[in-house]
């Protein structure tokens, strides 16, 4: 199953690198913003792969006495700070990701009614996100 993870990561990385041309060309701001979103997506996925694969080895190399079960950075954060799962990375990313999607679609859609709905969602989604994450 690791090949699927690497395939996804390489696909996002290639998409990000190829989208960087939007900064060189005189394209619209929302296309440049979408390129930045691809870069942030790539960074988040790299962080999660690093967390799951290399943190245990890093702790062992520094002389920490680890139990038989593998200890990952995520498990360390859960134990130390009471965090739950991978929410410390994906919750803020989800807010940013979906807000940028709403913004992107509000710029490319030309139907006025749908545009108004999306603009309301730009304001409502952060409140919805806040409620679902913290309550």
């Amino acid at each position: 199953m690791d090949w699927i993870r690497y395939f996804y990561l390489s696909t996002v990385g290639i998409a990000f690198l190829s989208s960087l041309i939007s900064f060189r060309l005189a394209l619209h701001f929302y296309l440049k913003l979408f390129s930045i979103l691809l870069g942030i997506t790539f960074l988040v996925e790299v962080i999660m792969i690093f967390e799951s694969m290399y943190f245990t080895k890093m702790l062992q190399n520094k002389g920490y006495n680890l139990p038989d079960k593998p200890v990952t950075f995520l498990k360390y954060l859960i134990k130390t700070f009471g965090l739950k799962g991978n929410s410390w990375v994906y919750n803020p990313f989800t807010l940013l990701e979906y807000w940028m999607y709403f913004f992107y679609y509000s710029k490319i859609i030309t139907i006025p009614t749908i545009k108004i709905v999306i603009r309301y969602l730009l304001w409502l989604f952060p409140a919805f996100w806040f409620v679902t994450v913290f309550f």
Side-chain angles (χ1 to χ4, degrees):
M1 287 302 262
D2 278 344
W3 70 272
I4 294 174
R5 180 185 298 177
Y6 293 124
F7 179 75
Y8 169 69
L9 187 64
S10 62
T11 303
V12 172
I14 291 169
F16 168 63
L17 291 175
S18 62
S19 72
L20 289 176
I21 197 164
S22 68
F23 290 100
R24 182 166 261 199
L25 302 174
L27 296 178
H28 296 286
F29 173 72
Y30 60 88
L31 293 173
K32 294 176 183 177
L33 198 63
F34 196 74
S35 176
I36 292 170
L37 177 63
L38 282 170
I40 294 171
T41 303
F42 180 73
L43 182 66
V44 165
E45 295 302 331
V46 166
I47 288 170
M48 292 311 294
I49 287 176
F50 175 77
E51 183 279 325
S52 66
M53 295 180 60
Y54 297 108
F55 188 73
T56 302
K57 292 177 186 176
M58 189 171 65
L59 285 178
Q60 289 171 340
N61 290 340
K62 290 191 176 197
Y64 287 95
N65 187 14
L66 298 176
D68 294 335
K69 294 181 180 178
V71 175
T72 64
F73 182 61
L74 208 50
K75 291 178 185 174
Y76 172 76
L77 285 176
I78 290 168
K79 182 179 176 186
T80 306
F81 300 107
L83 298 176
K84 297 178 182 172
N86 55 8
S87 62
W88 65 280
V89 172
Y90 285 118
N91 277 347
F93 175 66
T94 301
L95 172 66
L96 178 68
E97 178 184 27
Y98 282 98
W99 193 89
M100 289 175 100
Y101 287 149
F102 290 140
F103 179 76
Y104 176 77
Y105 284 120
S106 74
K107 294 296 181 185
I108 65 171
I109 291 178
T110 58
I111 303 170
T113 308
I114 295 177
K115 233 178 175 166
I116 291 171
V117 169
I118 291 174
R119 287 193 179 143
Y120 280 119
L121 287 173
L122 279 169
W123 290 98
L124 289 176
F125 183 74
F128 173 73
W129 175 86
F130 183 80
V131 169
T132 57
V133 168
F134 294 110
F135 296 107

